[in-house]
Amino acid sequence: DTEVTQTPKHLVMGMTNKKSLKCEQHMGHRAMYWYKQKAKKPPELMFVYSYEKLSINESVPSRFSPECPNSSLLNLHLHALQPEDSALYLCASSLQLGSYEQYFGPGTRLTVT
Amino acid sequence: AQSVTQPDIHITVSEGASLELRCNYSYGATPYLFWYVQSPGQGLQLLLKYFSGDTLVQGIKGFEAEFKRSQSSFNLRKPSVHWSDAAEYFCAVATGNQFYFGTGTSLTVIP
């Protein structure tokens, strides 16, 4: 099973809302990633978790708050977002942090109104 | 500075024609190399990867890629393109704990 699942598929939220994105993998991978992708652009790395600990934070605004409750789950909590945060949010996982291939979920299409 | 370059922003090919998408990288050592494909509104799917060994690697969906150390290139090829191959293609490089994507090449397939 090389599947990474993400929920919800689509999300529309106002600038004062609080919502969460969820990601799950059952491949036994110990590294998990959040990316933000704008149209026609490559994914931009936001956060990396390694063995459930935050390993990399690419200077992401605090209105994005990641959480890794266990080795299979990764959440991204959203609060007070801006319209420019509208994008496709991709979750990925890899065997470990390092030079390993990453497996991506289908993404959550987020629209901030 | 480390970088991954995909020189072609957009390529159009006829169905049944051959395809080559270019990827160049600049790193001190041989990195690990990947090609991903992304259909509209979808996540990225791994097509193939190169870690070491045979420089010609086979992937899914009939794609192959060749690593050329002398040219710092990892070009993706397919002998006969199908309409379903229309998508965005990203080359990626992993070195240490860093994973870098190229800017992508958008492929259009015409009947």
Side-chain angles (χ1 to χ4, degrees):
Chain A
D1 181 9
T2 57
E3 190 178 27
V4 176
T5 59
Q6 290 187 244
T7 55
K9 204 174 172 80
H10 301 276
L11 178 62
V12 179
M13 59 186 291
M15 290 189 283
T16 58
N17 291 160
K18 282 185 183 181
K19 296 287 185 184
S20 296
L21 309 184
K22 296 186 185 303
C23 173
E24 190 166 5
Q25 57 87 16
H26 294 287
M27 295 180 277
H29 289 176
R30 304 314 300 265
M32 296 185 77
Y33 310 77
W34 279 116
Y35 288 89
K36 173 183 177 182
Q37 188 183 28
K38 291 283 202 177
K40 298 295 186 185
K41 298 290 185 186
E44 297 173 33
L45 183 65
M46 300 174 72
F47 302 104
V48 181
Y49 274 82
S50 177
Y51 287 85
E52 297 141 61
K53 288 187 171 23
L54 184 63
S55 180
I56 297 174
N57 176 343
E58 292 287 352
S59 303
V60 178
S62 59
R63 57 185 184 269
F64 295 91
S65 175
E67 179 196 19
C68 190
N70 60 55
S71 61
S72 300
L73 291 174
L74 186 66
N75 298 322
L76 186 63
H77 303 297
L78 314 172
H79 173 55
L81 295 192
Q82 304 297 309
E84 59 264 29
D85 296 321
S86 299
L88 182 67
Y89 287 83
L90 294 164
C91 174
S93 70
S94 64
L95 187 63
Q96 293 184 49
L97 186 61
S99 299
Y100 298 94
E101 63 267 38
Q102 295 184 18
Y103 292 90
F104 284 80
T108 294
R109 173 69 60 188
L110 174 67
T111 303
V112 181
T113 60
Chain B
Q2 299 164 335
S3 68
V4 184
T5 304
Q6 292 181 247
D8 304 305
I9 296 172
H10 186 238
I11 284 182
T12 299
V13 299
S14 297
E15 192 167 13
S18 63
L19 171 70
E20 182 169 29
L21 302 182
R22 296 182 291 164
C23 174
N24 294 93
Y25 64 90
S26 63
Y27 293 95
T30 300
Y32 295 166
L33 299 159
F34 310 89
W35 274 100
Y36 285 87
V37 62
Q38 185 178 31
S39 297
Q42 302 297 312
L44 279 71
Q45 182 181 23
L46 180 67
L47 285 174
L48 46 78
K49 62 189 179 191
Y50 173 78
F51 286 176
S52 65
D54 192 347
T55 56
L56 184 64
V57 293
Q58 302 298 319
I60 62 171
K61 304 186 180 193
F63 285 93
E64 66 178 27
E66 186 171 14
F67 169 61
K68 292 186 177 179
R69 185 190 305 275
S70 61
Q71 297 176 20
S72 296
S73 69
F74 188 56
N75 294 349
L76 182 72
R77 300 195 293 248
K78 186 168 184 178
S80 178
V81 170
H82 188 261
W83 63 266
S84 60
D85 293 324
E88 191 82 16
Y89 290 80
F90 293 99
C91 179
V93 166
T95 174
N97 286 343
Q98 299 297 316
F99 201 92
Y100 301 96
F101 284 97
T103 49
T105 297
S106 178
L107 175 65
T108 297
V109 181
I110 56 177

